[in-house]
Amino acid sequence: MKYPTLFILFVVFLGCSKPSKNTSMQKKIVVAHRGASGYLPEHTMEAKAMAYAMHPDYIEQDLVLSKDDVPVVIHDIYLDDVTNVHEIFPDRKRADNRYYVIDFTFDELQQLQVTERFDPKTGKQFYPKRFPKGKGNFKLHSLQQEIELIQGLNYSTGKDIGIYPEIKNPEFHHTNGKDIAKITLDVLSEYGYKTKSDKCIFQCFDAKELERVRKELNSNLFLVQLIEFEEETKQLTHFATYADGIGPWYKQILSKKVDGKFTFTNLVEQSHKYGLKVHPYTFRADQLDEFSSFDEMMHVLLIDANVDGGFTDFPDKMVAFLSKQ
């Protein structure tokens, strides 16, 4: 008898890691970035099931609307760097030679195969030591489908793992006549995510849109303002008027090394002063940059810099680190 890939992954990895028993570190949350994306193609159901079995606090969902207004779990508004869209729909690209999620119905999107992220110009895989490009049988899915997976697993396991959705490029959606924020909030509400106590953190890079989510759309969810550019780190006072936390690039927290030790900017300290949690992105065991090991990266950011948690492609490794603290 052949078992579904999703079931096999869940059974295999459910017993591979144990949740942290150290209550002193529970405030440091682990966010599975695009699922267990260090091991399986990002934002696939298989990557989410594997992440769930690694016991993170939250699993992330990046969202883009389809042509028929279905919130699709995918990192970008484009399709051609994680799917075989150029093979299935060769004539559906725009003038810029890119294929856009918003130009396809959800049923059409279901015809595509999802693969490990690659450069559509060269075909080269971004992370060469991750799951082999073009292998497997992975599909796109909706926010509703992923919520039902996570809530179903919460029910069957007795755990309470949350969701951490991000709406992608809301201005692009507005330009194309779609309100991704409202549509997403309606879906979240339908599944019981309405307040800060509902284990759902809502994030966005667009500060104008996130403020709209709070003040115009009247959301009571926990909101995190993502930060991309350095100048945005100076806007904490304004962010605190509508957001509950910030999500900076982790390098915006680091300053320089002095006598072999990392020093830090005042971003975490100032954020905490304004009552904002700090969840930096992205901790990758195969992209350490200035760190000698993943454990050093975790210690410097989670302990020394005192961030409140973070996004990682390797949730098992972050959970394991915190379990030892």
Side-chain angles (χ1 to χ4, degrees):
M1 177 177 182
K2 292 185 178 180
Y3 294 95
T5 303
L6 199 62
F7 174 79
I8 294 171
L9 283 170
F10 179 68
V11 171
V12 170
F13 288 95
L14 186 60
C16 286
S17 59
K18 296 181 180 180
S20 170
K21 295 181 180 179
N22 190 334
T23 56
S24 67
M25 296 304 293
Q26 286 182 356
K27 64 178 181 179
K28 308 287 187 181
I29 72 164
V30 178
V31 184
H33 181 246
R34 311 181 200 175
S37 55
Y39 304 102
L40 283 165
E42 64 185 52
H43 284 318
T44 57
M45 284 289 233
E46 290 84 352
K48 302 308 173 76
M50 185 176 185
Y52 190 98
M54 292 173 170
H55 311 289
D57 299 285
Y58 292 85
I59 298 174
E60 183 197 37
Q61 304 78 33
D62 291 311
L63 301 172
V64 179
L65 291 181
S66 67
K67 186 175 183 179
D68 47 350
D69 294 338
V70 176
V72 178
V73 182
I74 188 172
H75 182 256
D76 295 311
I77 59 175
Y78 309 109
L79 289 162
D80 43 326
D81 47 10
V82 289
T83 77
N84 64 340
V85 64
H86 67 286
E87 297 175 0
I88 308 302
F89 298 105
D91 300 324
R92 297 281 291 277
K93 58 188 176 184
R94 292 194 180 187
D96 61 359
N97 289 320
R98 301 302 303 267
Y99 294 83
Y100 289 76
V101 177
I102 205 169
D103 293 335
F104 297 81
T105 66
F106 185 69
D107 285 345
E108 288 175 329
L109 293 171
Q110 295 296 282
Q111 300 178 42
L112 306 178
Q113 293 284 331
V114 176
T115 188
E116 185 67 30
R117 178 169 290 277
F118 64 94
D119 184 333
K121 293 182 179 179
T122 65
K124 187 176 179 180
Q125 184 169 326
F126 273 23
Y127 299 98
K129 293 185 179 181
R130 296 191 181 183
F131 198 92
K133 173 182 171 242
K135 302 296 184 180
N137 183 29
F138 306 104
K139 299 289 186 178
L140 293 170
H141 63 272
S142 69
L143 173 61
Q144 293 93 321
Q145 290 171 327
E146 183 164 333
I147 289 175
E148 290 180 5
L149 172 69
I150 294 170
Q151 289 189 346
L153 289 173
N154 281 342
Y155 181 81
S156 62
T157 65
K159 296 179 176 62
D160 187 23
I161 292 177
I163 63 173
Y164 207 130
E166 177 192 345
I167 53 172
K168 305 298 291 191
N169 207 330
E171 185 58 35
F172 169 82
H173 283 86
H174 284 304
T175 301
N176 283 269
K178 296 183 182 296
D179 190 342
I180 187 172
K182 186 179 186 308
I183 289 172
T184 300
L185 289 172
D186 286 345
V187 171
L188 294 175
S189 179
E190 179 183 347
Y191 283 91
Y193 300 109
K194 300 177 183 179
T195 72
K196 290 181 176 65
S197 62
D198 291 327
K199 210 64 184 292
C200 173
I201 299 178
F202 188 100
Q203 58 177 335
C204 187
F205 276 102
D206 188 322
K208 180 180 177 182
E209 189 71 8
L210 195 65
E211 185 173 12
R212 173 177 174 258
V213 166
R214 176 71 80 208
K215 297 181 177 179
E216 181 182 326
L217 300 180
N218 299 312
S219 173
N220 291 315
L221 291 172
F222 192 106
L223 303 185
V224 165
Q225 178 62 62
L226 293 170
I227 295 176
E228 182 177 7
F229 303 108
E230 186 64 29
E231 57 267 25
E232 295 173 308
T233 64
K234 311 302 181 185
Q235 300 176 37
L236 298 179
T237 306
H238 176 60
F239 294 158
T241 64
Y242 61 87
D244 303 288
I246 62 166
W249 184 29
Y250 77 83
K251 290 192 177 183
Q252 293 169 330
I253 293 168
L254 302 176
S255 181
K256 58 184 177 179
K257 273 190 173 180
V258 177
D259 297 327
K261 293 186 177 181
F262 286 94
T263 60
F264 308 100
T265 66
N266 68 353
L267 182 59
V268 176
E269 180 184 359
Q270 289 298 308
S271 297
H272 288 165
K273 177 182 175 181
Y274 291 112
L276 296 167
K277 297 292 186 182
V278 183
H279 300 160
Y281 61 87
T282 302
F283 306 154
R284 295 184 170 105
D286 54 356
Q287 192 177 53
L288 294 171
D289 295 326
E290 57 267 71
F291 299 104
S292 62
S293 68
F294 190 76
D295 273 8
E296 183 191 29
M297 180 187 230
M298 293 297 90
H299 197 282
V300 167
L301 292 164
L302 292 169
I303 310 303
D304 299 340
N306 195 31
V307 302
D308 302 290
F311 293 81
T312 180
D313 293 3
F314 300 85
D316 58 330
K317 296 182 185 297
M318 189 169 171
V319 167
F321 172 84
L322 289 172
S323 71
K324 295 182 290 187
Q325 303 308 306

